[in-house]
Amino acid sequence: MAQQTQSAVVPPKITFWERFENNRNLLGLFLMLPTAALLVTFLAYPLGLGVWLGLTDTTIGREGVFIGLENYKWLFADSVFWLSVFNTFLYTTVASTIKFGLGLWLALILNQHIPFKSLIRAIILLPWIVPTVLSAVAFWWIYDSQFSIISWSLMKLGFIDQYINFLGEKNNARAAVIIANIWRGVPFVAISLLAGLQTISPILYEAATLDGANKWQQFRHVTLPMLTPIISVVMTFSVLFTFTDFQLIYVLTRGGPINATHLMATLSFQRAIPGGHLGEGAAIAVAMIPFLLAAILFSYFGLQRRAWQQGGGH
Amino acid sequence: MFGRKKEKETGREGMGYLSSLPLRVVTVYVPLVVFIILLLFPFYWMGLTTLKPDTELLDLNRFNPFWVTMPTLAHIKKLLFQTSYPRWLWNTMLISVLSTFISIFCAVLAAYAIERLRYKGSRFIGMAIFLAYLVPPSILFIPLATMVFKLGLFDTRLALILTYPTFLIPFCTWLLMGYFRSIPYEIEECAMIDGASRFQVLIKIMLPLAVPGLISAGIFAFTLSWNEFIYALTFISSSENKTVAVGVITELVDGDVYHWGSLMAGALLGSLPVAILYSFFVEHYVSSMTGAVKE
């Protein structure tokens, strides 16, 4: 009897709460709940829903019915869609390449011994901090067809004799949005690569110099191989952000002139929200996924491969 | 984690002293100055346009466009008193703060569970959360818009407060996992031997030690939600619920093209809060950005 009361009084206090607290799996599950709830409801589920919507003819205000691959067939024959695919690739390739080049250059400069280094680093990151939409508004004004400061300066310097139509002409508009994208992306690449550069030990450079390596050889055979892992991650992110860009285009050109700057993201928005064709818009968004995966895999593994080529081959 | 410390310890200059001053001017200072000028010019231009009266803005021949002769606050005044701008600022602030707090709360629990409890399948969940970070909003906004509509959240700020954590939590969790990893197990074990429960360990030991990480994650999350555009553009339709980014684009730009002054003022004022916040926590920001890349 006495034993029974003891086991009835003491253990219940231990059993539930303490056992729960000491069970990693249960407690882990419990702590994961808020995150899981939010991510499953607003990330995983919409991802699936998007794929489903792409297979229906849903419009705003009307539930769609399943129409199989009809949307994709339609898009396959749609020249505007293919133009947007082309634009997205052009935009991503050109902008990412230049961002990488300039970013690496800037990182190498910042890695030197210069006065006010942390202040300069802070200033350089500013374009990356401020809302893209708002800096895009500034670019919009800089690219204005009548009051552009670039046109004005070039005129005064005598390089051109009439104002440049930055956003109204096909290739000008493409160049203009790419430049704005580069302006915003270079700081991210530069500061991330700088962090990578700072982990390279100066001893390696000293050893290379003693072996008679010149500046270029040091860069080619010490800096680049040491930096490759971080380059691959930074560029994967950069490609990802550029490929899915929406804000810059929406503010600067809304895809115009004559769809010359439409990216897949902006086209998907235009068809789905102002156009009302949710199904078609979702199909375009889903069509981005394989391209996106390919782009990520390419930049990730492409650069990874170069890493062991450099490590093993030379 | 903080690059700066390392920098000082290892004598970063390396062999920089070997190159002569004229060479350094050409290879370092000239390109650096050009970079800084190009990166800052749009901000200068924003500020200048904000202060210029319309006559100066539209007459490039009588006035030098690179300077302002008669600065005016008229554009800012117009923005603050004749548009819903203050309301948009307040909305953006509210949405950013709340979604940041929700995200940090979820991320702390999740990161602790993944990194320290190591429950069954935690490796896999960790990877899944990293992959979730790679899902771009531009492929989610259409299905989310239909969900938001069905849930009756369309055109409410709650829609944004609930959806922003989807891109904030993965990032914050990933960052905090790195921070928790750097805290030695022994501290936790000591506290548990002294009779602390798991929750006490989390709240009284881990969190105070991870404060730099929490600040980094918070700043980064706040900036990301302040800058968010596509969800806000899609889910919000009435002027009083708009965020700054959406309000400036949709309401200040109307047929009349000559609103450049107030448009620039809107862009400038909308950028200031994040810029100020950032300037106070540069190191944290940089470490969170580069930390996330390095992991």
Side-chain angles (χ1 to χ4, degrees), chain A residues 21 24-25 32 35 41-42 46 63 113 121-122 125 129 131 133 141 152 183 198 209 233 237 244 281, chain B residues 7 13 15 24 38-39 49 106 117 119-120 133 138 142-143 147 150 166 197 199 227 249 264 278 283:
Chain A
E21 264 211 334
R24 285 159 180 270
N25 290 334
M32 290 303 292
T35 300
T41 329
F42 293 109
E63 286 284 320
H113 181 65
R121 193 177 59 174
L125 252 185
I129 309 298
V133 172
W141 173 224
W152 185 88
W183 176 83
Q198 286 172 340
T209 315
V233 180
F237 275 99
T244 58
Chain B
E7 215 173 282
E13 310 88 84
M15 295 176 299
R24 279 179 62 80
L38 288 180
L39 289 175
T49 311
C106 296
L117 296 176
Y119 56 90
K120 230 182 240 165
Y133 181 47
S138 20
I142 297 173
M147 281 177 66
K150 280 201 187 119
T166 55
S197 72
F199 284 101
N227 296 0
I249 296 301
M264 287 300 136
Y278 160 75
E283 289 303 325

Side-chain angles (χ1 to χ4, degrees), chain A residues 92-93 96-97 99 233-245 291-292 294-296 298-299:
Chain A
T92 311
T93 326
S96 300
T97 315
K99 271 190 275 193
V233 180
V234 171
M235 287 322 287
T236 309
F237 275 99
S238 175
V239 165
L240 182 79
F241 294 144
T242 319
F243 197 95
T244 58
D245 199 7
F291 290 123
L292 197 58
I296 292 173
F298 177 76
S299 55

Side-chain angles (χ1 to χ4, degrees), chain B residues 26-47:
Chain B
V26 176
T27 57
V28 177
Y29 294 111
V30 172
L32 184 65
V33 169
V34 173
F35 265 117
I36 292 179
I37 291 176
L38 288 180
L39 289 175
L40 290 188
F41 180 74
F43 298 113
Y44 171 70
W45 205 235
M46 242 189 237

